[in-house]
Amino acid sequence: MEDKAVLSVSNITKNFGIVKALNQVSIDFRSGEIHGLIGENGSGKSTMASVITGVYKAEEGTMTLNGKPYQPESVLDAARQGICMIVQEMGTIDGISVAANVFAGKENLFAHMGIVRKKEMIRAAQNILDEIGASDIRAENPIDGESFENRKIVEIARAMYEEVKVMIVDETTTALSQKGREILYRLMNRLRDEGKTIIFISHDLDELTQLCDSVTILRDGNFVRDLKKEEITPDTMRKLMVGRDVQDDYYRTDQQRALTDQVVLEVEHVSSSLLKDISLNLKKGEILGIGGLTDCGMHELGKVIFGIQQPKKGNVYAGEKRIRIRNPRTAIRQKIGYVSKNRDQESIMKLSNIRDNICLPSYDKIKKGCYVSPKAEEGLAGKESGKLSIKMSSLDQLCIQLSGGNKQKVALAKWLGNDSDLLILDCPTRGIDVGVKAAIYQLMNQYKQSGKSILMISEELQELIGMSDRILILKDGALSGTFDRSPDLTENDLIQYMI
């Protein structure tokens, strides 16, 4: 690893209203290294990435790239100068092909007399996909038909073709299965071996320990410390992130099952493009875990239960009166809430403020006649944001300005504000730090103890084992295994029914 700073940020300050997202932060990112950037949600990691890539302008501070002043005007300007980013949320363009996404902005490479030679572009994109081990993704297919994970792999393929000096990987691994992670790890290691710089933002402390040559810790927008390779351990990083010792044993310790045998949700013989004759029930006061590989159908199951997708066969019923769930409106009337894995596109309105997001499902609850008073909105949003300790400048702050963990809290707050009796949580702790994760697990446990029910879809086996009363495993769209809560249950017990 060369001891040469390719990118230097000096005394960077960025404010969102009264919130100081970054406060006089200085970091050197060196050639031929994977440099971890970590901290709790709201610590300033993604804000720093956004300043570096030209999304935000800093109020104070300077940046240099290869010793020369660096002031990107936009993401495209940053990319032209060799700084690219793979983001946590969706970074592909709907309505075009996989190949067009791989070469977005570079169509002129395949243009002849103003016409893009699509077959040539598709061949080139497929070669890249094959090279990174993603030959199951076909370059000619519409991107809209690909899973969330495959879309992230397409972004990785796009990054492979960039003339990169600095690659920023912002929480991308949380959206990927082990296969997708291995593809990304290979890219990162290849770039490092070529003398490039990788800035790696992740909440997975084991992942950071394994991959990083150095790590910078941020806390509340402030620089805390740089760690060298030999200093990087999960315990050290955890303590520096939160300023105190934090244990990672934050799952439930009780072995209590559902509070009663009363069934609050029934799925009867549901089949769809991915699902094959799925039947299950959820009981009052139960956390039912659904697990499997990324494309096993579990994420689609959540959408079918909430009424976003209609099954080809079968039905979903809720409540003692067995009301059939036909669409999200019916689900909401039955006091069901849904938090999607794809948070920014499906769980919150990024360009709306916190107040509007929290109040959205609850207008029938707070209106008087046809009138909704600003005082009622303020009261509901203030109460629910306070319960979840959402870090914000005010209820008028736009959700796009929040950290991942605080966005997730807003997504939960809107359903808690509507007095939901049943929550469908798809990957509820994806892309959030240990502190927020512990808070969400505590909230889930309190929710259960109050007699309410949770259907939790998760790709994290320890999360399933640690939080669920029962676990159902899906494989290739069908139920393959059922497990009751037990202190003896292990990841290996689940894996054999997934693969």
Side-chain angles (χ1 to χ4, degrees):
M1 184 176 69
E2 301 175 25
D3 189 25
K4 178 184 176 184
V6 172
L7 174 69
S8 293
V9 299
S10 302
N11 301 315
I12 294 294
T13 295
K14 175 62 185 174
N15 302 317
F16 294 108
I18 62 171
V19 175
K20 195 173 286 290
L22 292 170
N23 181 30
Q24 298 287 308
V25 175
S26 298
I27 310 172
D28 286 335
F29 300 101
R30 303 187 183 282
S31 174
E33 75 167 1
I34 298 176
H35 190 128
L37 190 59
I38 69 167
E40 290 189 283
N41 289 113
S43 62
K45 309 179 301 296
S46 292
T47 302
M48 176 60 77
S50 295
V51 169
I52 291 171
T53 53
V55 177
Y56 298 142
K57 299 287 185 185
E59 276 81 25
E60 298 177 29
T62 59
M63 295 187 286
T64 61
L65 182 62
N66 289 326
K68 298 179 180 179
Y70 170 65
Q71 295 177 305
E73 294 297 321
S74 66
V75 173
L76 288 176
D77 184 31
R80 281 192 290 266
Q81 298 186 62
I83 295 186
C84 302
M85 180 161 67
I86 304 173
V87 298
Q88 176 184 357
E89 302 300 339
M90 196 74 76
T92 50
I93 304 166
D94 288 338
I96 60 176
S97 69
V98 168
N101 268 279
V102 171
F103 291 107
K106 295 183 173 62
E107 295 84 358
N108 62 308
L109 294 172
F110 308 97
H112 178 67
M113 298 181 66
I115 299 173
V116 175
R117 293 171 290 195
K118 291 185 178 180
K119 288 184 179 179
E120 187 178 329
M121 182 168 69
I122 287 169
R123 279 196 300 271
Q126 193 63 56
N127 286 339
I128 296 173
L129 291 165
D130 293 345
E131 182 185 342
I132 66 174
S135 55
D136 56 317
I137 303 174
R138 306 311 299 170
E140 66 273 16
N141 288 349
I143 194 70
D144 304 63
E146 299 295 335
S147 67
F148 187 78
E149 178 184 18
N150 281 355
R151 286 184 175 219
K152 301 311 296 181
I153 293 174
V154 170
E155 291 179 54
I156 296 169
R158 183 168 61 206
M160 291 280 290
Y161 204 80
E162 300 282 2
E163 288 297 324
V164 176
K165 295 175 184 173
V166 179
M167 172 64 72
I168 302 173
V169 180
D170 187 2
E171 291 290 353
T172 304
T173 54
T174 61
L176 299 174
S177 67
Q178 190 58 38
K179 171 195 167 186
R181 291 185 182 208
E182 288 171 0
I183 290 172
L184 180 58
Y185 296 160
R186 284 199 297 270
L187 170 63
M188 291 167 60
N189 286 322
R190 190 185 96 176
L191 291 174
R192 175 175 60 185
D193 293 345
E194 293 173 355
K196 308 295 174 59
T197 304
I198 300 94
I199 301 174
F200 186 37
I201 302 172
S202 175
H203 287 302
D204 189 327
L205 302 184
D206 291 327
E207 185 177 58
L208 288 158
T209 302
Q210 174 190 344
L211 292 171
C212 291
D213 303 295
S214 59
V215 168
T216 295
I217 293 95
L218 300 178
R219 189 194 310 145
D220 296 327
N222 295 286
F223 171 86
V224 176
R225 185 177 161 188
D226 283 326
L227 298 178
K228 298 177 181 178
K229 180 69 175 178
E230 60 273 15
E231 299 174 304
I232 302 171
T233 67
D235 286 343
T236 300
M237 290 187 286
R238 194 179 293 117
K239 183 174 182 180
L240 290 170
M241 282 169 61
V242 300
R244 63 185 187 279
D245 287 319
V246 177
Q247 303 300 316
D248 57 5
D249 54 346
Y250 32 55
Y251 300 116
R252 287 170 54 191
T253 56
D254 68 280
Q255 296 301 315
Q256 182 184 41
R257 307 286 176 82
L259 297 182
T260 73
D261 288 328
Q262 179 184 336
V263 173
V264 296
L265 178 77
E266 291 179 87
V267 176
E268 294 186 348
H269 303 292
V270 161
S271 295
S272 69
S273 56
L274 279 177
L275 301 172
K276 301 170 185 175
D277 196 30
I278 300 292
S279 294
L280 60 87
N281 63 58
L282 175 65
K283 297 175 182 178
K284 181 180 175 66
E286 180 181 38
I287 299 177
L288 176 63
I290 307 290
L293 300 179
T294 300
D295 293 326
C296 70
M298 59 182 176
H299 304 299
E300 185 174 29
L301 177 61
K303 294 184 179 191
V304 168
I305 292 173
F306 192 60
I308 296 172
Q309 293 183 12
Q310 292 302 308
K312 292 179 179 178
K313 294 181 180 178
N315 295 299
V316 179
Y317 299 98
E320 292 183 48
K321 296 182 179 180
R322 283 175 51 86
I323 303 298
R324 183 181 169 194
I325 303 300
R326 299 175 183 273
N327 51 50
R329 180 181 291 275
T330 310
I332 293 169
R333 285 175 176 166
Q334 293 303 305
K335 295 299 181 181
I336 299 175
Y338 170 68
V339 177
S340 169
K341 173 185 177 181
N342 189 359
R343 180 174 55 226
D344 277 23
Q345 273 68 43
E346 297 177 354
S347 285
I348 60 171
M349 301 179 294
K350 289 191 298 182
L351 298 179
S352 295
N353 62 35
I354 295 167
R355 180 193 302 103
D356 290 348
N357 269 274
I358 292 176
C359 291
L360 183 62
S362 303
Y363 283 116
D364 284 343
K365 169 184 168 182
I366 61 176
K367 71 180 181 182
K368 293 185 177 179
C370 296
Y371 176 68
V372 177
S373 73
K375 184 177 180 181
E377 289 182 300
E378 196 80 12
L380 177 67
K383 177 183 176 183
E384 299 304 327
S385 62
K387 282 182 185 177
L388 291 174
S389 302
I390 297 172
K391 186 177 179 181
M392 58 185 178
S393 56
S394 72
L395 291 171
D396 290 316
Q397 186 174 3
L398 300 182
C399 283
I400 196 172
Q401 298 172 338
L402 298 176
S403 68
N406 284 301
K407 287 177 182 175
Q408 190 73 344
K409 287 181 177 182
V410 170
L412 285 165
K414 75 177 187 181
W415 297 117
L416 298 178
N418 195 39
D419 302 322
S420 298
D421 292 323
L422 191 162
L423 292 177
I424 304 165
L425 304 181
D426 193 345
C427 297
T429 61
R430 183 176 76 84
I432 61 178
D433 65 63
V434 291
V436 178
K437 186 176 284 193
I440 288 179
Y441 289 150
Q442 183 180 20
L443 175 69
M444 290 171 63
N445 203 26
Q446 291 171 349
Y447 194 81
K448 166 190 163 62
Q449 296 300 328
S450 70
K452 299 187 177 185
S453 308
I454 297 172
L455 189 142
M456 179 181 70
I457 301 163
S458 179
E459 297 169 4
E460 296 186 30
L461 299 184
Q462 276 301 322
E463 182 171 77
L464 287 168
I465 293 169
M467 295 304 298
S468 304
D469 297 300
R470 281 187 298 145
I471 300 171
L472 304 182
I473 299 298
L474 268 63
K475 177 183 175 183
D476 298 328
L479 286 173
S480 63
T482 303
F483 301 87
D484 288 327
R485 184 170 184 79
S486 166
D488 300 321
L489 189 62
T490 68
E491 292 186 34
N492 286 334
D493 295 328
L494 305 184
I495 287 171
Q496 62 181 319
Y497 287 86
M498 295 166 55
I499 298 173

